[in-house]
Amino acid sequence: MRRSEVWVGVVILLSVVVAVAGSFWLRGYRLTRGTTTVEALFSGVGQLTDGASVKLRGVTIGRVNGIAVEPDGTAVRVGLAINADVRLPADAAVLIAPESMFGDWGAEIVSRSTNPRLDFFEPSDPAVLPGFSIPDLSRLTATADQIADNLATITDRVEIAFTQETAENLRLVIENVGGVSEQLAALVDAQIGAVDDLVENVRTSTSQVSEAAALATLTLAEVERLLSGGVVDSIVGDTRVTAAEFRRLATDLRETTTGLSTTLQYADSTLVRFERIGRELETGEGTLAHLLADSTVAVQTQSVLMQLTLLLEDFRENPGRYVRLSIF
Amino acid sequence: MPGKTLDFVGATGRAALRFAGTVGEWGVLMQDTIRGLRAVRIWRHLVFEQMMRIGVASVPIALFIAAFTGIVLALQASYTFTGAVPVYLVGSLVGKTMIIELGPVLTGLALAGRVGASIAAELGTMRVTEQIDALETMAYDPAAYLVLPRVLAGAVMFPAVTLLASALGIVAGWLTAIQLLEMSTPEFVRGLETFFVPFDVVFSVIKSFSFGLTVTSLGCFFGFRTRGGAAGVGRAATSAVVASSMVILVFDAFWAAVLL
């Protein structure tokens, strides 16, 4: 073998070794330490690139090894090649954040319980770690710029709206609010008293309800006793008999009412007659009026009555004189 | 006045035609070279010798340039990165710049001067002394015998030399950073690792491969078309270096636009 061939081989092999070994070294691969790969899901990964550092408590324990969008496009799956001898927290999650202001991003494995406010992506596979990407500086700057614009707009509007008159109105409003506050305080005091009374009433009512409940309990016990002793059955029977008596009495009363109606009609006609007689008496017409107005008629009537009395006595003493009874 | 304008237009047209003719001649030579791949017995024993002359012999100058480039990069980076800029970015700048830009380009330019001129002068001398004509007379394919070994050697050895040069440039930058800039090795390494992606190395290899093809093929081309004795040989060497340097820069921009 010629010397030139050896030298050519040396240069080529050396360059290949330098390129390959240097690349692996700069990518963080070490022959002396084994690695294991864990995966994490993110809604976005910002400017994270393949080969970015993975840290745990600030110590670099691996490298990002693969970034790919999920087939359904809803998340980004990031592979993390970390040292096999490193033990991750039980509730490990992955946080992606800029490592400096110059576009280099890194991943940090954190305990999720120490970052409760971060909205980690929730993977369905428990073997995949949840991930969260902190918005980069440009996005924060854009948001701050938008907030500044909004504040400027509000400031302009306040300047337009806030005149001397507005200030005076505001002062009046504040005074009114003070008065309303005092009234509200008085109202609240009154309501507190009313509420106290209400509470006392409720307390009293509660005790009464309690007593009534106790009494009801006793009553129910008595009712239960009566129900169990058959007393109610006898009462119901008596009530049924009484109801029948009432029904009969009502029938009699209805009949009596009907007779009473007839009687009232008779009384009515009688009263009509009495009224006519009264009018005749007043006018001096009729027999009775003549009797009342003419004393001779009265005397004659009295003598008639006496003769009738004598006749009756004679009739009692000598009935045969007046009555003849013959059967055939 | 119209006559001068017409002369200018005519000169431009002649230059364009001459350039197109030159490109065409280069294309014909490359076609002959590719065709010469079949004559393995002719070029097989010559490739290692050319690798030695083009590649191994160029390593010292390439490493020298790369080393001082790394030193300058580290110094200028530390000079530029002040205030809020973290110092570890010196490592990023040195590494990234050496791998994807200065390593391939400076090595290519250096080798264009050394290798391109050498090839053009050597083949130009053979042309003016009619050695190439003698080869053709002896039924030797000049492309397979003279061009193909050099182009193959350049295509293989340029990337190798470039990788070594880039690595040494980074090492030189690292030594400068820790010795002169009060940086620590972890800081420099952090900067190196932060923005490094393996494709940078692939990109560097692709670029230097194209530079190797360019420098060697143009050196052979200008050597082959040498006319006019010793003066012609000098012109051929100069043309080879100038053309190679220009094409290297054009390819540098081309690959950056296409691959990055």
Side-chain angles (χ1 to χ4, degrees):
Chain A
M1 185 177 291
R2 291 190 299 176
R3 192 175 176 183
S4 62
E5 295 175 348
V6 174
W7 274 111
V8 169
V10 168
V11 170
I12 291 176
L13 290 176
L14 191 60
S15 65
V16 170
V17 168
V18 166
V20 174
S23 297
F24 276 101
W25 180 67
L26 289 177
R27 296 280 292 170
Y29 297 110
R30 303 290 185 268
L31 294 175
T32 56
R33 188 181 292 175
T35 60
T36 183
T37 300
V38 295
E39 290 184 324
L41 280 178
F42 300 82
S43 56
V45 294
Q47 299 179 41
L48 187 75
T49 56
D50 223 10
S53 63
V54 179
K55 293 183 177 178
L56 176 63
R57 302 184 188 282
V59 178
T60 301
I61 61 168
R63 296 276 162 186
V64 172
N65 182 23
I67 301 172
V69 179
E70 287 287 270
D72 58 1
T74 57
V76 180
R77 186 178 293 266
V78 176
L80 308 172
I82 60 175
N83 299 336
D85 54 351
V86 174
R87 190 172 175 184
L88 301 182
D91 58 342
V94 184
L95 191 63
I96 292 177
E99 290 193 320
S100 74
M101 297 173 63
F102 301 94
D104 49 327
W105 282 51
E108 182 167 10
I109 296 177
V110 298
S111 174
R112 191 168 179 178
S113 60
T114 59
N115 298 275
R117 297 173 66 184
L118 299 182
D119 186 18
F120 287 95
F121 190 92
E122 297 293 347
S124 56
D125 184 358
V128 178
L129 301 180
F132 178 75
S133 176
I134 291 177
D136 62 3
L137 196 59
S138 58
R139 205 180 306 173
L140 291 176
T141 306
T143 305
D145 189 44
Q146 187 177 357
I147 292 171
D149 288 344
N150 293 339
L151 279 175
T153 305
I154 292 170
T155 305
D156 292 342
R157 290 178 181 173
V158 167
E159 284 180 355
I160 293 170
F162 200 81
T163 60
Q164 184 63 33
E165 185 182 355
T166 309
E168 184 64 23
N169 290 336
L170 276 176
R171 189 183 64 78
L172 292 174
V173 168
I174 292 169
E175 288 179 1
N176 291 336
V177 168
V180 170
S181 299
E182 291 176 358
Q183 291 176 3
L184 277 176
L187 180 63
V188 168
D189 289 341
Q191 291 301 318
I192 287 172
V195 168
D196 289 342
D197 294 342
L198 180 63
V199 170
E200 184 60 32
N201 290 339
V202 168
R203 191 178 294 116
T204 306
S205 300
T206 304
S207 64
Q208 289 175 353
V209 167
S210 177
E211 293 171 0
L215 190 59
T217 304
L218 293 174
T219 304
L220 287 174
E222 185 67 20
V223 167
E224 189 176 357
R225 187 181 62 76
L226 292 173
L227 286 173
S228 60
V231 177
V232 171
D233 291 341
S234 65
I235 290 172
V236 170
D238 294 345
T239 304
R240 191 175 297 119
V241 172
T242 305
E245 290 293 327
F246 269 115
R247 195 176 301 112
R248 189 176 55 78
L249 186 61
T251 305
D252 294 346
L253 190 59
R254 193 177 302 113
E255 291 172 356
T256 304
T257 305
T258 307
L260 184 61
S261 177
T262 309
T263 304
L264 286 174
Q265 287 177 357
Y266 287 152
D268 193 35
S269 62
T270 304
L271 286 173
V272 170
R273 285 174 189 171
F274 270 120
E275 189 177 359
R276 184 168 52 80
I277 292 169
R279 273 198 307 274
E280 288 175 350
L281 286 174
E282 287 178 357
T283 58
E285 296 177 355
T287 307
L288 195 55
H290 287 296
L291 284 174
L292 291 173
D294 194 353
S295 60
T296 58
V297 175
V299 171
Q300 288 175 355
T301 303
Q302 192 172 4
S303 124
V304 169
L305 287 172
M306 287 180 66
Q307 289 176 3
L308 278 173
T309 303
L310 290 173
L311 182 62
L312 282 171
E313 286 176 354
D314 186 58
F315 181 79
R316 284 191 197 108
E317 289 174 356
N318 302 300
R321 192 184 295 173
Y322 302 94
V323 178
R324 180 169 295 188
L325 184 61
S326 178
I327 297 173
F328 299 102
Chain B
M1 189 71 179
K4 289 185 177 178
T5 304
L6 203 59
D7 290 344
F8 174 75
V9 173
T12 305
R14 276 195 303 276
L17 286 174
R18 194 164 52 244
F19 177 76
T22 304
V23 174
E25 290 176 21
W26 177 83
V28 170
L29 180 62
M30 289 301 103
Q31 185 183 18
D32 293 341
T33 305
I34 293 171
R35 194 178 293 127
L37 280 169
R38 290 177 297 186
V40 180
R41 287 182 295 111
I42 296 176
W43 56 263
R44 184 177 58 191
H45 304 291
L46 302 172
V47 172
F48 275 102
E49 182 186 345
Q50 292 302 323
M51 283 183 169
M52 184 72 185
R53 293 174 58 187
I54 293 172
V56 178
S58 301
V59 168
I61 183 64
L63 295 184
F64 181 82
I65 292 173
F68 278 90
T69 302
I71 292 170
V72 171
L73 273 177
L75 292 171
Q76 290 187 349
S78 66
Y79 169 75
T80 306
F81 296 166
T82 56
V85 183
V87 71
Y88 72 83
L89 286 179
V90 171
S92 303
L93 186 135
V94 171
K96 204 80 172 176
T97 308
M98 285 305 302
I99 293 173
I100 69 174
E101 180 59 27
L102 291 184
V105 171
L106 289 184
T107 303
L109 291 175
L111 269 61
R114 181 183 180 280
V115 175
S118 167
I119 292 174
E122 183 181 2
L123 296 188
T125 304
M126 292 177 71
R127 170 63 75 185
V128 298
T129 55
E130 298 180 345
Q131 294 181 49
I132 296 176
D133 298 332
L135 284 173
E136 291 174 345
T137 303
M138 291 187 290
Y140 265 91
D141 181 3
Y145 187 77
L146 298 174
V147 180
L148 190 55
R150 288 168 172 79
V151 172
L152 284 178
V156 173
M157 295 307 292
F158 263 59
V161 175
T162 298
L163 289 174
L164 291 177
S166 299
L168 186 72
I170 293 171
V171 171
W174 163 62
L175 291 173
T176 305
I178 62 174
Q179 294 297 327
L180 302 178
L181 304 178
E182 298 180 353
M183 275 182 68
S184 65
T185 297
E187 280 180 320
F188 189 85
V189 172
R190 181 194 171 192
L192 273 180
E193 293 177 342
T194 298
F195 295 102
F196 175 78
V197 289
F199 180 73
D200 291 347
V201 178
V202 177
F203 182 71
S204 176
V205 170
I206 291 173
K207 279 172 71 169
S208 53
F209 175 80
S210 66
F211 295 165
L213 287 178
T214 301
V215 169
T216 52
S217 65
L218 287 176
C220 294
F221 171 70
F222 283 106
F224 258 57
R225 65 198 298 263
T226 303
R227 300 282 185 274
V233 172
R235 281 196 300 273
T238 304
S239 298
V241 173
V242 172
S244 297
S245 301
M246 292 172 64
V247 174
I248 281 173
L249 295 176
V250 170
F251 266 122
D252 187 33
F254 172 77
W255 289 124
V258 171
L259 295 180
L260 295 182

